[in-house]
Amino acid sequence: MADDATDRETALLAGGPADGVRVRVRGRPRLIQVTYACEVEEPREGMRATAVYVYRRDGRSPERLRYGYDPAAP
C-alpha cells in the first residue's frame, strides 16, 4: 500500500524475533535491521550492548512488500 503523501509503504517482517511486525519504509530498502537492547551486568561508562537482526527484502511478490529474517547475517 503506497502512501502518496509521504512515499512510504507498509512492509511485513517474516520470521525471526520480529515475526509479524509491520514497518513503514521509503524506497524499498534491501535490508532492514531490527535491534534489541541487551542487559549488561557490569557496564562501563556509556557502554551498551545491542542484538542486531537482519531482514532481507523478498522480491517474489512485487505487489506485497515483505522482508524475511536472515539468520546467517552478522
Side-chain angles (χ1 to χ4, degrees), residues 30-55:
R30 292 173 60 178
L31 299 173
I32 293 178
Q33 285 186 342
V34 173
T35 62
Y36 287 94
C38 296
E39 186 176 329
V40 179
E41 290 185 11
E42 295 180 28
R44 297 185 178 136
E45 186 176 334
M47 183 189 141
R48 65 182 181 175
T50 305
V52 177
Y53 301 93
V54 174
Y55 287 78

